[in-house]
Amino acid sequence: MNRRHSAAAAITLVCALAVLAAPVQAFAAPTPPAPEQPPKSGNAEDPGTSGTSGTSGKKSLEEVRAKIDALYRQAGAATDAYNLAEERSKKQSGEIVKLAQAIVEGQAKIAELKSRAGAQAREQYRNAGLPPGAQLMLSGDPQLFLDGISRAHQGQQAAKGVLGELNRTQEDLETYTQDASTNWTKLEANRVKQAKAKKKINEQIAAAKKLESQLEKKERARLLQLEQQAEYKSQTAWLSSGALKEINRGASASGKKAVAFATSQIGKPYKWGAVGPASYDCSGLTSQAWAAAGHPIPRTSQEQWRQLPHIAVKDMRPGDLVIYFSDATHVGMYIGDGAIVHAPRPGRDVTITGAGSMEILGVVRPDK
């Protein structure tokens, strides 16, 4: 009875789940800004001071940019955690559904076996409760006795087979029920992780947007210039290191398809947790591009870095994925000529930028 209750509970959980539960550009330096004037006391238009009129203290615009960048980096890390928890939740949900189907099939099989066992019991009752061997001995007919020996043996073996199969099926059913309970616990744990990650993402993005909103229009334009300058400086340093001299390989057939898909998404907005078709986050773009090329890859940048084959930067070819930052929380797709296509961050669109414009952790190749 407890087993039946456990199985019914698991199936109820699954039903609840089912109801509740988808061409390369050249790079040029950004336009140099006009020389900054010395700070003017009390002048709200001065980017060196008024850029933080709504922030604490007298931070420079560069400090504000660094703070905003840090907030978006933290949001990116939380986004990766959210995406991983979501992927695992989907996996657990699928396993629970399979286990529920196995439980239902097991219950049906047990019912059928019990019916067969009951038929055998009723047959024995109709024969005055005597086993087949005793009935043959009392028949007084030697020929009937000899003929019936084989049938009696077969019947005994069949009865043992039914009982043995019944016991095995009941054990399997208990295992399925326990596995379903374990997977449900994991599912709930991943849901908690998702909720925490989602809260952190929203908090970091809100904080970054608040800082930006406190800037004057002139300062926001200057902030974008500072962002472009930082990317250009990093890209120039990377190219000056000679990294691009060794990179001259052509894309594989699958790589060409992945690049074509990724570049066709240029101009679409970044949205955390999104995998298209209207918007993407960084790993949503790369995972969907390679799925379109016929090579499904892990959903998150951290799992892409962990699971896909690593390639030396000098061996990089179009279609390879460039993983950024020490925690592998950003990814872009190399498209040739020292450039990547990527979904940068909230407030930005899918775009092309220099492969060396951010701190490179390494390169992975989905179709190696």
Side-chain angles (χ1 to χ4, degrees), residues 2-320:
N2 289 334
R3 290 174 178 166
R4 288 198 295 272
H5 284 318
S6 297
I11 294 169
T12 301
L13 291 177
V14 175
C15 292
L17 176 65
V19 172
L20 293 176
V24 179
Q25 299 179 359
F27 291 91
T31 304
E36 292 197 25
Q37 299 298 321
K40 298 178 182 179
S41 178
N43 186 347
E45 289 299 318
D46 176 32
T49 57
S50 69
T52 57
S53 58
T55 63
S56 59
K58 294 283 186 179
K59 295 179 181 176
S60 70
L61 197 58
E62 178 58 39
E63 289 175 319
V64 173
R65 187 199 70 79
K67 178 62 177 176
I68 290 174
D69 185 61
L71 287 168
Y72 280 126
R73 282 280 312 281
Q74 292 168 12
T79 297
D80 226 42
Y82 175 90
N83 289 337
L84 183 58
E86 181 180 44
E87 187 175 42
R88 287 176 175 171
S89 291
K90 289 179 180 178
K91 181 180 179 181
Q92 297 304 141
S93 298
E95 290 178 355
I96 289 173
V97 169
K98 289 179 181 178
L99 286 166
Q101 291 172 341
I103 288 171
V104 171
E105 291 171 0
Q107 288 180 322
K109 188 174 183 180
I110 285 175
E112 190 268 336
L113 290 170
K114 285 183 176 180
S115 177
R116 285 165 57 186
Q120 291 174 348
R122 287 192 295 273
E123 178 65 22
Q124 185 173 341
Y125 177 77
R126 283 195 294 269
N127 291 310
L130 294 175
Q135 295 172 32
L136 291 170
M137 291 290 291
L138 295 174
S139 68
D141 187 336
Q143 186 60 47
L144 179 61
F145 175 80
L146 293 174
D147 292 343
I149 285 294
S150 177
R151 291 196 300 272
H153 179 70
Q154 292 174 357
Q156 289 172 350
Q157 291 300 110
K160 288 181 180 179
V162 169
L163 292 176
E165 191 173 1
L166 179 59
N167 287 333
R168 288 193 297 273
T169 303
Q170 287 176 328
E171 290 173 358
D172 289 344
L173 185 59
E174 184 174 346
T175 299
Y176 295 150
T177 302
Q178 291 173 348
D179 289 348
S181 178
T182 298
N183 278 286
W184 186 266
T185 300
K186 291 179 181 178
L187 176 63
E188 288 303 304
N190 281 316
R191 282 178 171 172
V192 170
K193 290 179 181 178
Q194 277 183 277
K196 290 181 178 178
K198 183 176 182 179
K199 180 180 180 183
K200 185 172 183 179
I201 293 166
N202 289 330
E203 288 175 349
Q204 302 301 335
I205 292 177
K209 287 183 176 179
K210 182 178 180 180
L211 277 177
E212 288 183 291
S213 70
Q214 292 168 345
L215 300 175
E216 300 291 339
K217 182 178 180 180
K218 179 180 178 181
E219 293 170 326
R220 287 196 291 272
R222 171 74 176 123
L223 190 69
L224 180 59
Q225 277 190 327
L226 288 174
E227 184 179 306
Q228 293 172 337
Q229 282 183 321
E231 291 180 355
Y232 179 74
K233 182 179 179 181
S234 180
Q235 172 74 353
T236 300
W238 182 67
L239 294 176
S240 298
S241 71
L244 192 59
K245 292 180 181 179
E246 300 295 327
I247 304 175
N248 56 6
R249 293 167 179 77
S252 65
S254 297
K256 290 178 181 178
K257 292 178 182 178
V259 168
F261 180 94
T263 53
S264 69
Q265 311 308 310
I266 290 174
K268 293 183 178 180
Y270 176 103
K271 182 179 180 182
W272 68 265
V275 291
S279 56
Y280 298 87
D281 62 19
C282 67
S283 57
L285 176 65
T286 54
S287 62
Q288 290 302 300
W290 272 102
H295 285 269
I297 63 174
R299 166 67 177 88
T300 70
S301 58
Q302 291 178 336
E303 289 301 295
Q304 289 169 6
W305 173 245
R306 189 176 71 85
Q307 296 185 36
L308 298 178
H310 290 203
I311 299 297
V313 172
K314 65 182 181 64
D315 295 327
M316 188 163 57
R317 70 188 187 192
D320 289 345

Side-chain angles (χ1 to χ4, degrees), residues 312-331:
V313 172
K314 65 182 181 64
D315 295 327
M316 188 163 57
R317 70 188 187 192
D320 289 345
L321 305 182
V322 186
I323 309 296
Y324 294 96
F325 308 121
S326 60
D327 54 0
T329 50
H330 190 69
V331 60

